[in-house]
Amino acid sequence: MQDPGPAPASPDFELDLLAVPKAVPELRRALSAHAHAYRPLPDIQLCVSELLSNVIRHLGEGTPVTVRVTGAHGNRIRVAVTDPDPRAWPLLRRAGGDDETGRGLALLDAVSLRWGIEQEADRKTVWCELGEG
């Protein structure tokens, strides 16, 4: 976990939703509708998809989450997904060649400048920062 740095500004994009598989492509489409503000859009879509998929896999379908994208007009974009379980932390692992899962955080780690977790008493936020492309 890395230091989150200064508190993020008000989000440019914020959406409360239930973490279900059909929400992943819907979220990607919603971000595309705001494409004029987001660069690099494919990396942002990848990050939100992986973070939302982690919630579905590890906390269960139907978990309420909040997705935020902040800083669309600065030199860094912050992507954050907040869920109601402060104890279930994502772990970066090395997936083997035959593993069908376990690559999501490795992808996020590869495309982001940094990422981390903010824990509160009743929730956690997993975030990453991308350089504006």
Side-chain angles (χ1 to χ4, degrees):
M1 181 173 70
Q2 297 182 9
D3 171 28
S10 297
D12 300 307
F13 176 90
E14 183 171 345
L15 184 63
D16 294 319
L17 57 104
L18 296 178
V20 294
K22 74 175 190 166
V24 176
E26 291 171 358
L27 180 56
R28 292 172 67 93
R29 280 192 294 277
L31 286 166
S32 290
H34 293 82
H36 64 281
Y38 302 126
R39 302 287 184 251
L41 180 62
D43 290 348
I44 294 168
Q45 289 175 314
L46 172 70
C47 291
V48 297
S49 295
E50 293 304 330
L51 292 173
L52 186 56
S53 294
N54 273 351
V55 171
I56 295 166
R57 180 168 185 83
H58 298 289
L59 299 182
E61 288 188 32
T63 301
V65 299
T66 301
V67 177
R68 292 178 194 84
V69 179
T70 307
H73 304 291
N75 60 352
R76 289 194 179 181
I77 307 292
R78 181 182 169 106
V79 175
V81 175
T82 301
D83 69 61
D85 190 339
R87 300 170 315 238
W89 282 32
L91 297 172
L92 180 61
R93 64 183 202 127
R94 302 282 181 244
D98 293 334
D99 291 341
E100 293 183 18
T101 62
R103 292 178 180 80
L105 284 178
L107 287 169
L108 183 125
D109 188 59
V111 301
S112 67
L113 299 170
R114 63 188 195 138
W115 67 276
I117 304 161
E118 295 172 0
Q119 183 181 26
E120 297 179 46
D122 61 345
R123 65 183 170 228
K124 74 171 169 307
T125 300
V126 182
W127 58 270
C128 68
E129 286 184 355
L130 301 160
E132 191 167 17

